[in-house]
Coordinates of all heavy atoms in Angstrom, one line a residue:
E201 N -8.6 39.7 -11.7 CA -9.2 40.7 -10.8 C -8.7 42.0 -11.1 O -9.4 43.1 -11.1 CB -9.1 40.3 -9.4 CG -9.7 41.3 -8.4 CD -9.4 41.0 -6.9 OE1 -8.5 40.0 -6.7 OE2 -9.9 41.7 -6.1
I205 N -10.7 45.3 -12.3 CA -10.7 46.6 -11.6 C -10.2 47.7 -12.5 O -10.8 48.9 -12.5 CB -9.8 46.5 -10.3 CG1 -10.4 45.5 -9.3 CG2 -9.6 47.9 -9.7 CD1 -9.4 45.3 -8.1
Y209 N -12.3 51.1 -13.6 CA -11.8 52.5 -13.4 C -11.8 53.2 -14.8 O -12.1 54.3 -14.9 CB -10.4 52.4 -13.0 CG -10.2 52.0 -11.5 CD1 -9.0 51.6 -11.1 CD2 -11.3 52.0 -10.7 CE1 -8.8 51.2 -9.7 CE2 -11.2 51.5 -9.4 CZ -9.9 51.1 -8.9 OH -9.8 50.8 -7.6
N412 N -0.4 43.0 5.7 CA -0.3 44.0 4.7 C -1.4 44.1 3.6 O -1.9 45.1 3.2 CB 1.1 44.0 4.0 CG 2.2 44.5 4.9 OD1 2.0 45.0 5.9 ND2 3.4 44.1 4.4
I413 N -1.8 42.9 3.2 CA -2.8 42.8 2.2 C -4.2 43.3 2.7 O -4.8 44.1 1.9 CB -3.0 41.3 1.7 CG1 -1.8 40.9 0.9 CG2 -4.3 41.1 0.9 CD1 -1.8 39.5 0.4
E414 N -4.4 43.0 3.9 CA -5.7 43.6 4.5 C -5.6 45.1 4.6 O -6.6 45.8 4.3 CB -5.8 43.0 5.9 CG -7.1 43.5 6.6 CD -8.4 43.2 5.9 OE1 -8.5 42.2 5.1 OE2 -9.4 43.9 6.1
S415 N -4.4 45.6 4.9 CA -4.3 47.1 4.9 C -4.4 47.7 3.5 O -5.0 48.7 3.3 CB -2.9 47.4 5.6 OG -2.8 47.0 6.8
Y416 N -3.8 47.0 2.5 CA -3.8 47.5 1.2 C -5.3 47.5 0.7 O -5.7 48.4 -0.1 CB -3.0 46.6 0.2 CG -1.5 46.7 0.4 CD1 -0.6 45.7 0.2 CD2 -0.9 48.0 0.7 CE1 0.7 45.8 0.5 CE2 0.4 48.1 0.9 CZ 1.3 46.9 0.8 OH 2.6 47.1 0.9
R417 N -6.0 46.5 1.0 CA -7.4 46.4 0.6 C -8.3 47.5 1.2 O -9.1 48.2 0.5 CB -8.0 45.0 1.1 CG -9.5 44.8 0.6 CD -10.0 43.6 1.2 NE -10.1 43.6 2.6 CZ -11.0 44.3 3.3 NH1 -12.0 44.9 2.7 NH2 -11.1 44.4 4.6
R418 N -8.0 47.8 2.5 CA -8.8 48.9 3.1 C -8.4 50.3 2.5 O -9.2 51.1 2.3 CB -8.5 49.0 4.6 CG -9.1 47.7 5.3 CD -8.5 47.5 6.7 NE -8.9 48.8 7.5 CZ -8.5 48.9 8.8 NH1 -7.6 48.0 9.3 NH2 -8.8 50.0 9.4
L419 N -7.1 50.5 2.1 CA -6.6 51.7 1.5 C -7.2 51.8 0.1 O -7.6 53.0 -0.3 CB -5.1 51.8 1.4 CG -4.3 51.9 2.7 CD1 -2.9 51.8 2.5 CD2 -4.6 53.4 3.2
L420 N -7.3 50.7 -0.6 CA -7.9 50.8 -2.0 C -9.4 51.1 -1.9 O -9.9 52.0 -2.6 CB -7.8 49.4 -2.7 CG -8.3 49.3 -4.1 CD1 -7.7 50.3 -5.0 CD2 -8.1 48.0 -4.6
E421 N -10.1 50.5 -1.0 CA -11.6 50.9 -0.8 C -11.7 52.3 -0.4 O -12.7 52.9 -0.9 CB -12.2 49.8 0.3 CG -12.2 48.4 -0.2 CD -12.8 47.5 0.9 OE1 -12.9 48.0 2.1 OE2 -13.0 46.3 0.6
G422 N -10.9 52.8 0.5 CA -11.0 54.2 0.9 C -10.7 55.1 -0.3 O -11.4 56.1 -0.5
E423 N -9.8 54.7 -1.1 CA -9.4 55.6 -2.3 C -10.5 55.5 -3.3 O -10.7 56.5 -4.0 CB -8.1 55.1 -2.9 CG -7.4 56.1 -3.8 CD -6.8 57.2 -2.9 OE1 -6.3 57.0 -1.8 OE2 -7.0 58.4 -3.4
Q424 N -11.2 54.3 -3.4 CA -12.3 54.3 -4.3 C -13.4 55.2 -3.9 O -14.0 55.8 -4.8 CB -12.8 52.8 -4.4 CG -11.9 51.8 -5.1 CD -12.3 50.4 -5.0 OE1 -13.1 50.0 -4.1 NE2 -11.9 49.6 -5.9
D425 N -13.7 55.3 -2.6 CA -14.7 56.2 -2.1 C -14.4 57.6 -2.4 O -15.2 58.4 -2.8 CB -15.0 55.9 -0.6 CG -15.6 54.6 -0.3 OD1 -16.1 54.0 -1.2 OD2 -15.3 54.1 0.9
K426 N -13.1 58.0 -2.2 CA -12.6 59.3 -2.5 C -12.8 59.6 -4.0 O -13.2 60.8 -4.3 CB -11.1 59.5 -2.0 CG -11.1 59.5 -0.4 CD -9.6 59.5 -0.1 CE -8.9 60.8 -0.5 NZ -7.4 60.8 0.0
F427 N -12.4 58.6 -4.8 CA -12.5 58.9 -6.2 C -14.0 59.0 -6.7 O -14.2 59.8 -7.6 CB -11.9 57.6 -7.0 CG -11.9 57.7 -8.5 CD1 -10.9 58.5 -9.1 CD2 -12.8 57.1 -9.2 CE1 -10.9 58.6 -10.4 CE2 -12.8 57.2 -10.6 CZ -11.9 58.0 -11.2
T428 N -14.9 58.3 -6.0 CA -16.3 58.5 -6.3 C -16.7 59.8 -6.1 O -17.6 60.4 -6.8 CB -17.1 57.4 -5.6 OG1 -16.6 56.1 -5.8 CG2 -18.6 57.5 -5.9
Y429 N -16.2 60.5 -5.0 CA -16.8 61.9 -4.6 C -15.8 62.9 -5.2 O -15.9 64.1 -4.9 CB -16.7 62.0 -3.1 CG -17.8 61.1 -2.4 CD1 -17.4 60.0 -1.7 CD2 -19.2 61.4 -2.6 CE1 -18.4 59.2 -1.2 CE2 -20.1 60.6 -1.9 CZ -19.7 59.5 -1.2 OH -20.7 58.7 -0.7
E431 N -12.6 63.4 -4.9 CA -11.5 63.7 -4.0 C -10.1 63.1 -4.4 O -9.2 63.3 -3.6 CB -11.9 63.6 -2.6 CG -13.1 64.4 -2.2 CD -13.5 64.2 -0.8 OE1 -12.8 63.3 -0.1 OE2 -14.5 64.7 -0.3
S432 N -10.2 62.2 -5.3 CA -8.9 61.4 -5.7 C -8.7 61.5 -7.2 O -9.6 62.1 -7.9 CB -9.0 60.0 -5.1 OG -7.8 59.4 -5.3
M436 N -3.7 58.1 -8.1 CA -3.7 57.5 -6.8 C -4.4 56.1 -6.7 O -4.0 55.2 -6.0 CB -4.4 58.5 -5.9 CG -3.6 59.8 -5.5 SD -2.0 59.3 -4.8 CE -2.4 58.4 -3.3
L437 N -5.5 56.0 -7.5 CA -6.2 54.7 -7.6 C -5.2 53.7 -8.1 O -5.2 52.5 -7.6 CB -7.4 54.9 -8.4 CG -8.7 55.3 -7.8 CD1 -9.8 55.4 -8.8 CD2 -9.1 54.3 -6.7
N438 N -4.5 54.0 -9.2 CA -3.6 53.0 -9.8 C -2.5 52.6 -8.7 O -2.1 51.4 -8.6 CB -2.9 53.7 -11.0 CG -3.9 53.7 -12.2 OD1 -4.8 53.1 -12.2 ND2 -3.5 54.6 -13.2
K439 N -2.0 53.6 -8.0 CA -1.0 53.3 -6.9 C -1.6 52.3 -5.9 O -0.9 51.4 -5.5 CB -0.5 54.5 -6.3 CG 0.4 55.4 -7.2 CD 1.7 54.6 -7.5 CE 2.6 55.3 -8.4 NZ 3.8 54.5 -8.8
R440 N -2.8 52.6 -5.4 CA -3.5 51.8 -4.4 C -3.7 50.4 -5.0 O -3.5 49.4 -4.3 CB -4.7 52.4 -3.9 CG -4.7 53.6 -3.3 CD -3.8 53.7 -2.0 NE -3.9 55.0 -1.3 CZ -3.1 55.4 -0.3 NH1 -2.1 54.6 0.0 NH2 -3.2 56.5 0.2
Q441 N -4.2 50.4 -6.3 CA -4.5 49.1 -6.9 C -3.2 48.3 -7.1 O -3.1 47.1 -6.9 CB -5.1 49.3 -8.2 CG -5.4 48.0 -9.0 CD -6.1 48.3 -10.4 OE1 -6.5 49.4 -10.7 NE2 -6.1 47.3 -11.2
E442 N -2.1 49.0 -7.5 CA -0.8 48.3 -7.7 C -0.3 47.7 -6.4 O 0.2 46.5 -6.4 CB 0.1 49.3 -8.2 CG 1.6 48.7 -8.6 CD 2.6 49.8 -9.0 OE1 2.0 50.9 -9.5 OE2 3.8 49.6 -8.9
K443 N -0.5 48.4 -5.2 CA 0.0 47.8 -4.0 C -0.9 46.6 -3.6 O -0.4 45.7 -3.1 CB -0.1 48.9 -2.9 CG 1.0 50.0 -3.1 CD 2.4 49.5 -2.7 CE 3.3 50.6 -2.6 NZ 4.8 50.1 -2.4
Y444 N -2.2 46.7 -3.8 CA -3.1 45.6 -3.4 C -2.8 44.4 -4.3 O -2.7 43.3 -3.7 CB -4.6 46.1 -3.5 CG -5.6 45.1 -3.3 CD1 -5.7 44.4 -2.0 CD2 -6.4 44.7 -4.3 CE1 -6.6 43.5 -1.8 CE2 -7.3 43.7 -4.1 CZ -7.5 43.1 -2.8 OH -8.4 42.1 -2.6
I445 N -2.7 44.6 -5.6 CA -2.5 43.4 -6.4 C -1.1 42.9 -6.2 O -1.0 41.6 -6.1 CB -2.7 43.8 -7.9 CG1 -4.2 44.2 -8.1 CG2 -2.3 42.7 -8.8 CD1 -5.2 43.2 -7.9
Q448 N -1.0 40.8 -3.1 CA -1.6 39.4 -3.3 C -0.7 38.5 -4.1 O -0.5 37.3 -3.7 CB -2.9 39.6 -4.1 CG -4.1 40.1 -3.3 CD -5.4 40.1 -4.0 OE1 -5.5 40.8 -5.0 NE2 -6.3 39.4 -3.5

Side-chain angles (χ1 to χ4, degrees):
E201 179 188 4
I205 294 174
Y209 291 162
N412 285 348
I413 288 176
E414 180 62 23
S415 300
Y416 289 146
R417 184 186 62 79
R418 293 168 60 186
L419 287 173
L420 178 60
E421 290 176 351
E423 202 68 41
Q424 287 173 340
D425 292 339
K426 292 172 65 178
F427 183 78
T428 302
Y429 293 108
E431 298 178 0
S432 181
M436 289 302 300
L437 271 177
N438 288 341
K439 287 298 180 182
R440 300 297 188 195
Q441 178 184 347
E442 181 182 339
K443 288 290 186 180
Y444 175 63
I445 296 300
Q448 286 185 297

